[in-house]
Amino acid sequence: MTLEKIIILDFGSQYTQLIARRVRELNVYCEILPYNADFSLDASVKAVILSGSPFSVTDPYALKIDLSALLNRIPVLGICYGAQLIASELGGKVERSLKREYGKASLSKILKPDPILSGVPEDSQVWMSHGDTIFEIPTVFELIAGTENIDVALFKSKPESFEFPVYCLQFHPEVTHSLDGGTLLKNFVVDIAGCSQNWDSSSFIELTVQELREKVGSDQVIMGLSGGVDSSVAATLLHKAIGDQLICVFVDNGLLRKDEYEAVLHSYQGLGLHVIGVDARELFYTGLAGVTDPEAKRKVIGKTFIDVFEDVSEQFPDVQWLGQGTIYPDVIESVSVHGPSVTIKSHHNVGGLPDRLKLKIVEPLRMLFKDEVRQVGRTLGLDEVLVGRHPFPGPGLAIRILGDITPDKVHLLQEADHIFIKLLKEWGLYDKVWQAGVILLPVQSVGVMGDERTYERAVALRAVESVDGMTAEWCKLPYEFLAKVSSDIINQVKGINRVVYDISTKPPSTIEWE
């Protein structure tokens, strides 16, 4: 099977990931690359999309590319900044707007029918977000549509001007506020670019297993498991490709959820994986003693994990590869539009481990979004308990205990967290929540239990809705449910006498407190 793909050139837009998600939803593979990336237009590339950007094409340091490397060679779609760049570079007129054009608009001026508007009704709502306005389009283009406030909203190359069509949109079809944006993107990707929509979880598994076999050969791979969906699916794919050449390590750092170490080990045995369990709780507690700064906690946990992992790896001197559960948002975030960054999110990858062990990296999921990882897991036959698990931070409960870490505090938090998660499942709410947990606060409060005055700890419940964790909204959980959680925690967990609920969104807050 030939893997067709769309290339998305990123000029720094906050919406670039959404473009990729919309294309993937069409069962078409795509990749996001920095605008200045060096890539080849081989037969697998069916079209190129130029993203939006926070920058202005009128700026002397505007981000630009050599359009001649694309035009007349492949279908091109410019979105917002991408459209402005094409207009500016090819002789049109683009100027800074007197006011920022942001929000809902209507495609009320359809000047002529076009394949890209097939199935898109007149007056369709679209979303504007730009500071530049296209006042004149290049002479080699023709105007297709405008809005009530903007004359130039959609234009395309004249058929006689370019061998392959070039479309330019002043609005953002990738956001949900553009009500027919999905239809418009489908028209471009499928009908205009000619993608066959043959990329799904089954084809991904087939291609990935084949690539892993070729890449790894007869070498051994060692991989740290977390119990989360990313590492579980990555390990299952590697096992499907290379079998017993894969050695998995699951470390109990003393910061897991209640009974999670035993439960996860049991679930992995059912998958046929060769898993080595390591009880390293005391090592982590010793390293974390007295540490209160969140970043310092992460560094201690990372270093201790490396030490433990290194000890285990010495049992396997022939290992050549380190498997990791890196997913696409981590890859995207590690490469800015100005060039590669040296930082990859620490809770997905343990920095320093590959170099210290002199291992090469293999990342089977590095081109998938979280929802795609879950679908691959289901296609592989993984238990829904693993596939549907909420994201859980790499440092574990260490960053849900504000202040220093002690075994007693971990025990308190594990008990409270266990009640919260158990009740979410019992009330049928677990799968409606992206991520949930309890935070142990560094405060005590006065309470009354029976005839006794108490002075005990407070905890905060956190539950958010999200698609990919980039933004999040607090969950409107039923009052009756929250009352039940609060009552059970206070009555069953000695040492906690107050429960509060976090109603902060991301941004400006983060999902975790540390």
Side-chain angles (χ1 to χ4, degrees), residues 316-332:
F316 305 95
D318 295 329
V319 166
Q320 299 292 317
W321 297 85
L322 175 69
Q324 295 201 141
T326 312
I327 63 174
Y328 203 29
D330 311 317
V331 175
I332 297 168

Side-chain angles (χ1 to χ4, degrees), residues 128-157:
M128 297 286 182
S129 179
H130 57 93
D132 287 350
T133 294
I134 301 169
F135 288 97
E136 295 178 11
I137 64 174
T139 56
V140 290
F141 283 75
E142 56 185 350
L143 188 60
I144 302 297
T147 71
E148 63 274 29
N149 296 319
I150 299 174
D151 291 332
V152 180
L154 167 58
F155 57 104
K156 65 174 286 191
S157 58

Side-chain angles (χ1 to χ4, degrees), residues 359-377:
L359 298 179
K360 297 172 283 187
I361 298 293
V362 58
E363 300 167 313
L365 307 178
R366 70 186 317 272
M367 302 312 290
L368 295 188
F369 290 102
K370 176 73 79 172
D371 55 334
E372 294 172 327
V373 174
R374 295 191 197 280
Q375 187 53 50
V376 167

